[in-house]
Amino acid sequence: ASNSAIVYFFSDLGTKETMAELLAQADALQAEGKIQETYDLLAEALNVRGKDVEVVWRFARACYQQAEEKEDKKWKEEYITKGVEQAKKALELDASNGKAHKWMGICLSKMGDFIPTKEKIGNAFTIKDHWTKALETDPTDATVNHCLGAWCWNVTNVGWIERKAAAMLFATPPESTYEEAEKYYLKAAELDPTFVDNAFALGELYVAMKRKEDAKKWFTTCSEMNATSEKERRMQRDAKTQAGKL
Protein backbone atom coordinates (compact mmCIF):
# COMPACT_ATOMS: atom_id res chain seq x y z
CA ALA A 1 0.00 0.00 0.00
CA SER A 2 2.81 2.42 0.85
CA ASN A 3 4.48 1.93 -2.57
CA SER A 4 1.33 2.79 -4.50
CA ALA A 5 0.86 5.81 -2.22
CA ILE A 6 4.41 6.94 -3.00
CA VAL A 7 3.91 6.56 -6.76
CA TYR A 8 0.62 8.47 -6.52
CA PHE A 9 2.04 11.31 -4.47
CA PHE A 10 5.35 11.76 -6.21
CA SER A 11 3.84 12.04 -9.67
CA ASP A 12 2.96 15.63 -8.78
CA LEU A 13 4.41 17.23 -5.68
CA GLY A 14 4.36 20.69 -7.18
CA THR A 15 0.87 21.57 -6.00
CA LYS A 16 0.07 22.71 -2.47
CA GLU A 17 -2.93 20.36 -2.32
CA THR A 18 -0.80 17.29 -3.11
CA MET A 19 1.82 18.35 -0.56
CA ALA A 20 -0.84 18.85 2.13
CA GLU A 21 -2.23 15.41 1.26
CA LEU A 22 1.19 13.80 1.58
CA LEU A 23 1.83 15.43 4.97
CA ALA A 24 -1.63 14.31 6.15
CA GLN A 25 -0.84 10.74 5.07
CA ALA A 26 2.54 10.83 6.83
CA ASP A 27 0.84 12.03 10.04
CA ALA A 28 -1.88 9.36 9.73
CA LEU A 29 0.69 6.56 9.23
CA GLN A 30 2.71 7.87 12.18
CA ALA A 31 -0.39 7.96 14.42
CA GLU A 32 -1.13 4.33 13.48
CA GLY A 33 2.39 3.33 14.53
CA LYS A 34 3.45 2.46 10.96
CA ILE A 35 6.96 3.69 11.59
CA GLN A 36 8.76 2.17 8.58
CA GLU A 37 6.07 3.30 6.13
CA THR A 38 6.17 6.84 7.53
CA TYR A 39 9.96 6.89 7.25
CA ASP A 40 9.93 5.61 3.64
CA LEU A 41 7.23 8.08 2.54
CA LEU A 42 9.07 11.08 4.00
CA ALA A 43 12.49 9.92 2.74
CA GLU A 44 11.01 9.96 -0.78
CA ALA A 45 9.35 13.34 -0.21
CA LEU A 46 12.69 14.74 0.95
CA ASN A 47 14.22 13.99 -2.47
CA VAL A 48 11.59 16.20 -4.11
CA ARG A 49 10.87 18.80 -1.42
CA GLY A 50 14.09 18.88 0.63
CA LYS A 51 13.70 22.59 1.40
CA ASP A 52 10.16 22.32 2.77
CA VAL A 53 10.40 22.68 6.56
CA GLU A 54 7.16 20.71 7.03
CA VAL A 55 8.72 17.68 5.29
CA VAL A 56 12.11 18.06 7.01
CA TRP A 57 10.91 18.23 10.64
CA ARG A 58 8.60 15.30 10.02
CA PHE A 59 11.54 13.31 8.68
CA ALA A 60 13.50 14.18 11.86
CA ARG A 61 10.54 12.76 13.85
CA ALA A 62 10.52 9.64 11.64
CA CYS A 63 14.27 9.14 12.25
CA TYR A 64 13.73 9.30 16.02
CA GLN A 65 10.82 6.84 15.91
CA GLN A 66 12.75 4.51 13.64
CA ALA A 67 15.62 4.56 16.18
CA GLU A 68 13.23 3.59 18.99
CA GLU A 69 11.94 0.50 17.15
CA LYS A 70 14.99 -1.60 18.07
CA GLU A 71 17.20 -2.08 21.12
CA ASP A 72 20.39 -2.36 19.01
CA LYS A 73 22.75 0.50 19.94
CA LYS A 74 24.31 0.93 16.47
CA TRP A 75 20.86 1.07 14.86
CA LYS A 76 19.75 3.69 17.39
CA GLU A 77 22.85 5.85 16.97
CA GLU A 78 22.57 5.81 13.16
CA TYR A 79 18.97 7.05 13.13
CA ILE A 80 19.33 9.52 16.01
CA THR A 81 22.36 11.10 14.31
CA LYS A 82 20.29 11.43 11.15
CA GLY A 83 17.42 12.89 13.20
CA VAL A 84 19.67 15.59 14.69
CA GLU A 85 20.95 16.48 11.19
CA GLN A 86 17.40 16.78 9.82
CA ALA A 87 16.09 18.83 12.77
CA LYS A 88 19.09 21.16 12.41
CA LYS A 89 18.29 21.51 8.70
CA ALA A 90 14.64 22.28 9.55
CA LEU A 91 15.72 25.07 11.92
CA GLU A 92 18.03 26.49 9.25
CA LEU A 93 14.99 26.64 6.95
CA ASP A 94 12.76 28.23 9.63
CA ALA A 95 14.25 29.17 12.99
CA SER A 96 10.79 29.93 14.43
CA ASN A 97 9.24 26.53 13.63
CA GLY A 98 8.03 25.03 16.93
CA LYS A 99 7.97 21.42 15.66
CA ALA A 100 11.56 21.74 14.42
CA HIS A 101 12.58 22.94 17.92
CA LYS A 102 10.60 20.09 19.49
CA TRP A 103 12.33 17.35 17.47
CA MET A 104 15.75 18.98 17.71
CA GLY A 105 15.40 18.82 21.48
CA ILE A 106 14.19 15.22 21.41
CA CYS A 107 16.90 13.96 19.04
CA LEU A 108 19.66 15.92 20.80
CA SER A 109 18.50 14.56 24.16
CA LYS A 110 18.56 10.97 22.84
CA MET A 111 22.04 11.65 21.41
CA GLY A 112 23.16 11.80 25.06
CA ASP A 113 23.23 7.97 25.02
CA PHE A 114 26.10 8.02 22.50
CA ILE A 115 28.33 10.94 23.49
CA PRO A 116 30.78 11.64 26.37
CA THR A 117 29.35 12.88 29.69
CA LYS A 118 30.89 16.36 29.30
CA GLU A 119 29.25 16.85 25.89
CA LYS A 120 25.95 15.45 27.17
CA ILE A 121 25.88 17.91 30.08
CA GLY A 122 26.94 20.73 27.76
CA ASN A 123 23.78 20.10 25.71
CA ALA A 124 21.42 20.30 28.73
CA PHE A 125 20.49 23.98 28.46
CA THR A 126 20.34 23.85 24.64
CA ILE A 127 17.84 20.98 24.80
CA LYS A 128 15.66 22.78 27.33
CA ASP A 129 15.82 25.94 25.23
CA HIS A 130 14.50 24.08 22.15
CA TRP A 131 11.59 22.62 24.16
CA THR A 132 10.78 25.97 25.79
CA LYS A 133 10.56 27.56 22.33
CA ALA A 134 8.38 24.67 21.14
CA LEU A 135 6.05 25.12 24.13
CA GLU A 136 5.74 28.87 23.46
CA THR A 137 4.59 27.99 19.92
CA ASP A 138 2.08 25.38 21.15
CA PRO A 139 1.38 25.14 24.92
CA THR A 140 -1.08 22.28 24.27
CA ASP A 141 1.60 19.91 22.90
CA ALA A 142 1.56 16.94 25.30
CA THR A 143 4.91 15.60 24.06
CA VAL A 144 6.74 18.87 24.73
CA ASN A 145 5.27 19.06 28.25
CA HIS A 146 6.38 15.45 28.77
CA CYS A 147 9.89 16.25 27.47
CA LEU A 148 10.27 19.18 29.87
CA GLY A 149 9.14 16.87 32.67
CA ALA A 150 11.76 14.32 31.59
CA TRP A 151 14.39 17.10 31.53
CA CYS A 152 13.52 18.00 35.14
CA TRP A 153 13.57 14.31 36.13
CA ASN A 154 17.00 13.72 34.55
CA VAL A 155 18.53 16.86 36.02
CA THR A 156 17.20 15.96 39.49
CA ASN A 157 18.68 12.45 39.15
CA VAL A 158 22.11 13.55 37.95
CA GLY A 159 24.87 11.53 39.65
CA TRP A 160 27.82 12.90 41.61
CA ILE A 161 30.35 12.69 38.71
CA GLU A 162 27.96 14.43 36.30
CA ARG A 163 27.19 17.07 38.93
CA LYS A 164 30.91 17.83 39.33
CA ALA A 165 31.33 18.04 35.54
CA ALA A 166 28.31 20.37 35.28
CA ALA A 167 29.75 22.63 37.99
CA MET A 168 32.93 22.96 35.92
CA LEU A 169 31.03 23.67 32.68
CA PHE A 170 28.46 26.17 33.90
CA ALA A 171 28.55 29.12 36.29
CA THR A 172 25.03 27.99 37.26
CA PRO A 173 24.56 24.24 36.58
CA PRO A 174 21.09 22.99 35.57
CA GLU A 175 18.80 22.38 38.56
CA SER A 176 15.30 21.04 39.06
CA THR A 177 13.04 19.03 41.41
CA TYR A 178 10.70 16.04 41.26
CA GLU A 179 7.82 18.44 41.91
CA GLU A 180 8.69 20.42 38.77
CA ALA A 181 8.84 17.20 36.74
CA GLU A 182 5.45 16.16 38.17
CA LYS A 183 3.87 19.45 37.07
CA TYR A 184 4.91 18.91 33.43
CA TYR A 185 4.04 15.19 33.41
CA LEU A 186 0.56 15.80 34.83
CA LYS A 187 -0.04 18.54 32.26
CA ALA A 188 0.98 16.10 29.49
CA ALA A 189 -1.40 13.48 30.93
CA GLU A 190 -4.22 16.01 30.96
CA LEU A 191 -3.53 17.00 27.34
CA ASP A 192 -3.17 13.40 26.12
CA PRO A 193 -4.66 10.70 28.39
CA THR A 194 -3.43 7.97 25.96
CA PHE A 195 0.29 8.88 26.27
CA VAL A 196 2.05 5.58 27.16
CA ASP A 197 5.54 7.04 27.80
CA ASN A 198 4.12 9.72 30.05
CA ALA A 199 2.10 7.30 32.19
CA PHE A 200 5.24 5.17 32.66
CA ALA A 201 7.27 8.27 33.56
CA LEU A 202 4.71 9.23 36.23
CA GLY A 203 4.97 5.72 37.67
CA GLU A 204 8.77 6.06 37.89
CA LEU A 205 8.53 9.54 39.35
CA TYR A 206 6.14 8.49 42.11
CA VAL A 207 8.39 5.53 43.03
CA ALA A 208 11.25 8.04 43.48
CA MET A 209 8.92 10.30 45.51
CA LYS A 210 7.94 7.27 47.64
CA ARG A 211 4.27 7.64 46.69
CA LYS A 212 3.57 3.96 46.11
CA GLU A 213 -0.17 4.15 45.50
CA ASP A 214 0.24 6.83 42.84
CA ALA A 215 3.09 4.86 41.26
CA LYS A 216 0.99 1.70 41.09
CA LYS A 217 -1.93 3.64 39.60
CA TRP A 218 0.18 5.09 36.77
CA PHE A 219 2.05 1.86 36.00
CA THR A 220 -1.31 0.04 35.83
CA THR A 221 -2.78 2.80 33.65
CA CYS A 222 0.26 2.54 31.35
CA SER A 223 -0.04 -1.25 30.99
CA GLU A 224 -3.72 -0.96 29.99
CA MET A 225 -3.26 1.70 27.29
CA ASN A 226 -3.41 1.07 23.56
CA ALA A 227 0.20 0.61 22.36
CA THR A 228 0.98 1.51 18.74
CA SER A 229 4.73 0.81 18.55
CA GLU A 230 7.26 -1.81 19.65
CA LYS A 231 8.78 0.68 22.07
CA GLU A 232 5.38 1.21 23.74
CA ARG A 233 4.77 -2.54 23.98
CA ARG A 234 8.15 -2.99 25.73
CA MET A 235 7.27 -0.16 28.11
CA GLN A 236 3.90 -1.73 28.94
CA ARG A 237 5.48 -5.08 29.80
CA ASP A 238 7.85 -3.24 32.15
CA ALA A 239 4.98 -1.22 33.65
CA LYS A 240 3.04 -4.42 34.41
CA THR A 241 6.09 -5.87 36.17
CA GLN A 242 6.65 -2.65 38.15
CA ALA A 243 2.99 -2.45 39.21
CA GLY A 244 3.20 -6.05 40.44
CA LYS A 245 6.07 -5.14 42.75
CA LEU A 246 4.18 -2.29 44.46
Side-chain angles (χ1 to χ4, degrees):
S2 62
N3 285 345
S4 61
I6 287 169
V7 172
Y8 167 72
F9 278 124
F10 295 102
S11 59
D12 178 23
L13 264 187
T15 66
K16 277 187 180 176
E17 292 78 12
T18 314
M19 200 61 217
E21 241 179 292
L22 178 129
L23 296 175
Q25 169 147 2
D27 290 345
L29 286 169
Q30 187 259 342
E32 289 166 22
K34 292 177 178 171
I35 310 296
Q36 186 68 55
E37 285 180 50
T38 311
Y39 181 88
D40 293 343
L41 186 69
L42 290 165
E44 286 286 338
L46 212 63
N47 292 330
V48 188
R49 296 291 289 267
K51 293 199 184 306
D52 188 322
V53 70
E54 293 300 316
V55 174
V56 182
W57 78 251
R58 280 175 173 83
F59 190 56
R61 176 181 69 184
C63 290
Y64 171 80
Q65 292 182 322
Q66 186 82 325
E68 292 292 85
E69 281 297 276
K70 292 186 184 180
E71 293 283 69
D72 182 73
K73 198 173 177 182
K74 269 193 171 172
W75 166 280
K76 281 182 178 294
E77 187 172 5
E78 179 191 335
Y79 283 102
I80 290 297
T81 303
K82 197 181 282 189
V84 170
E85 286 166 5
Q86 294 301 323
K88 191 177 176 185
K89 187 176 159 188
L91 286 169
E92 283 165 6
L93 291 166
D94 180 4
S96 66
N97 189 289
K99 299 292 190 213
H101 279 293
K102 169 182 175 174
W103 290 100
M104 184 65 184
I106 289 172
C107 291
L108 202 55
S109 177
K110 196 68 186 170
M111 199 70 196
D113 293 348
F114 314 107
I115 56 177
T117 299
K118 189 177 176 182
E119 200 179 331
K120 180 181 170 180
I121 293 162
N123 285 339
F125 284 121
T126 308
I127 290 164
K128 190 181 185 187
D129 189 45
H130 282 300
W131 288 334
T132 303
K133 283 175 181 168
L135 198 67
E136 283 165 8
T137 312
D138 181 7
T140 65
D141 189 316
T143 304
V144 177
N145 277 281
H146 168 80
C147 287
L148 283 163
W151 189 91
C152 297
W153 161 261
N154 286 323
V155 166
T156 307
N157 284 334
V158 158
W160 182 82
I161 292 170
E162 289 173 315
R163 211 172 282 282
K164 294 291 276 185
M168 289 168 74
L169 279 174
F170 302 112
T172 310
E175 284 182 359
S176 191
T177 61
Y178 287 145
E179 288 73 20
E180 196 179 359
E182 180 190 26
K183 181 189 77 174
Y184 283 117
Y185 283 157
L186 288 175
K187 184 66 182 171
E190 178 195 320
L191 291 165
D192 181 4
T194 68
F195 197 162
V196 176
D197 296 55
N198 193 65
F200 188 87
L202 275 161
E204 278 191 317
L205 176 69
Y206 287 131
V207 166
M209 293 173 86
K210 298 184 169 46
R211 287 165 58 178
K212 277 191 175 184
E213 284 307 308
D214 287 324
K216 187 167 188 166
K217 174 192 138 185
W218 282 103
F219 279 136
T220 305
T221 299
C222 176
S223 68
E224 290 168 355
M225 284 176 171
N226 181 33
T228 56
S229 68
E230 188 48 46
K231 177 198 174 190
E232 288 181 353
R233 284 184 279 275
R234 283 197 306 268
M235 201 168 268
Q236 285 189 316
R237 288 193 289 272
D238 196 6
K240 201 170 183 180
T241 305
Q242 297 294 337
K245 290 177 184 174
L246 293 164

